[in-house]
Structure formats: structure tokens, C-alpha cells
Amino acid sequence: GYLSFLRDTFSQEYSHLAVFPLIPISYIFGLSFTGYCLCVYFAYYVPSCILLVIFVFRLLASFQKQAVKVYELVVCLALCIACPAFLWPGILGYLDVCGVLLIAALLHSSLYWDTLRFSWRRNLLLAVLSLSLILARRWYAYFIVGFYVAVGIVSLIRLFKSKFSWTKLAVLAANY
């Protein structure tokens, strides 16, 4: 029943939760292995590429003062979609790319995160994305640990470079 489903979700390498969004798309592409790979491609791979490219250009825009040209965005997206190291697991039907989609969403939501100011909405979003990433595949817990350690180190450096106050430190602790 439900308890065995939950036990399998938390004990297996891959979770059943990553397959649920593929169900509506499988009505379009069918239930064959090719249809399954196309479902993974269109449900996870293409959105992951789009989010990663947009993230890269948002990051570049914070360093450059000029607008991004549309052809640069299209070329970068085409290169991302055609990248063999990223495409090959999707062609083989691995669901690892669902984690890349969640990682891209996590990076987007934390790009301009001021960790010295508390925000319930942002913290709840980051918590849901982090938990979803771990539930999608346990291996992504390593990314979550590294991500929050890196954010914590950067936040501490920012705290000590600015005028130190105990309230800022308390807000930083509350964000974690």
C-alpha cells in the first residue's frame, strides 16, 4: 500500500515521484521506451536547458551593463540542447535530468538572495525546491549540502565585510 510506496521512495536510488509529471505527456508519445525518452526530453530536458540558459544570461547581465541579444540566447540554447554530455542520459531514459530542472529553479530563486534579510516566501520556496530535489533522487542531497555550505560561506564573508551587527547574524542564522 501507501507505506511500501513511501518506503520505496525514501530507500531507492530513484524515486517514483519524478515519474508522475510524465504521465500526462505519455498520452501524447505513448508507452514505449521511445515514448518514455521523449517524455523525459520534453518534460525535463528542454525546460532544464531553457532555465539554465536564462540563468546564465541573468548572471551575465549582472556583470555587463548591456542588453542580451536574442541571437545570443538562441545560440546558447541550441548548444545546451545539443550538448552530448547532457543529452545522452536523456536519450537513455535516465531521470537525472529532472534534478537539473530543480537545480536550475533553485539557482534562479537564489540568484539575488540577500541572506542578511529574512523572507518567509523565499525561504519556503528554497525549502520546497531542496526537498523536491532530494525526493527526486537521493544523490542530489550532495548538491544541496554543497549549495547551502557555499551560500553560508559567501553570506558570512558578506556579513564580516559589511558593518557587523548581531541582528544581521541572527537573520542569517534564521535563513538557515
Side-chain angles (χ1 to χ4, degrees):
Y2 292 113
L3 291 177
S4 65
F5 174 77
L6 284 175
R7 186 187 68 238
D8 289 345
T9 297
F10 294 122
S11 64
Q12 300 296 323
E13 186 68 26
Y14 287 95
S15 167
H16 301 296
L17 299 176
V19 180
F20 286 133
L22 301 179
I23 293 172
I25 302 171
S26 68
Y27 287 111
I28 298 169
F29 294 114
L31 298 176
S32 66
F33 183 71
T34 305
Y36 168 75
C37 291
L38 286 170
C39 289
V40 170
Y41 182 80
F42 285 110
Y44 293 125
Y45 183 77
V46 172
S48 296
C49 289
I50 291 170
L51 277 179
L52 285 174
V53 167
I54 291 171
F55 175 74
V56 166
F57 279 97
R58 281 182 68 200
L59 196 60
L60 285 175
S62 66
F63 294 114
Q64 298 176 349
K65 301 303 178 205
Q66 57 187 354
V68 176
K69 295 171 183 65
V70 175
Y71 77 89
E72 294 174 340
L73 189 71
V74 170
V75 168
C76 191
L77 182 62
L79 289 174
C80 185
I81 287 177
C83 178
F86 197 42
L87 181 61
W88 185 247
I91 290 174
L92 294 178
Y94 293 126
L95 278 174
D96 295 282
V97 73
C98 76
V100 176
L101 179 64
L102 292 168
I103 286 171
L106 188 66
L107 290 173
H108 271 286
S109 61
S110 65
L111 182 60
Y112 298 115
W113 182 22
D114 184 9
T115 54
L116 302 179
R117 291 179 48 220
F118 188 79
S119 168
W120 278 105
R121 198 173 89 188
R122 176 152 319 194
N123 289 348
L124 184 63
L125 175 66
L126 292 174
V128 167
L129 286 172
S130 300
L131 183 63
S132 300
L133 188 59
I134 292 171
L135 289 177
R137 185 164 184 220
R138 289 184 316 162
W139 184 84
Y140 284 115
Y142 292 113
F143 172 82
I144 295 296
V145 170
F147 174 77
Y148 285 110
V149 166
V151 168
I153 290 171
V154 169
S155 300
L156 283 174
I157 290 170
R158 283 184 51 221
L159 176 69
F160 289 114
K161 279 188 172 183
S162 69
K163 188 174 180 180
F164 178 82
S165 73
W166 288 104
T167 56
K168 286 183 181 178
L169 184 62
V171 169
L172 179 64
N175 277 327
Y176 288 96

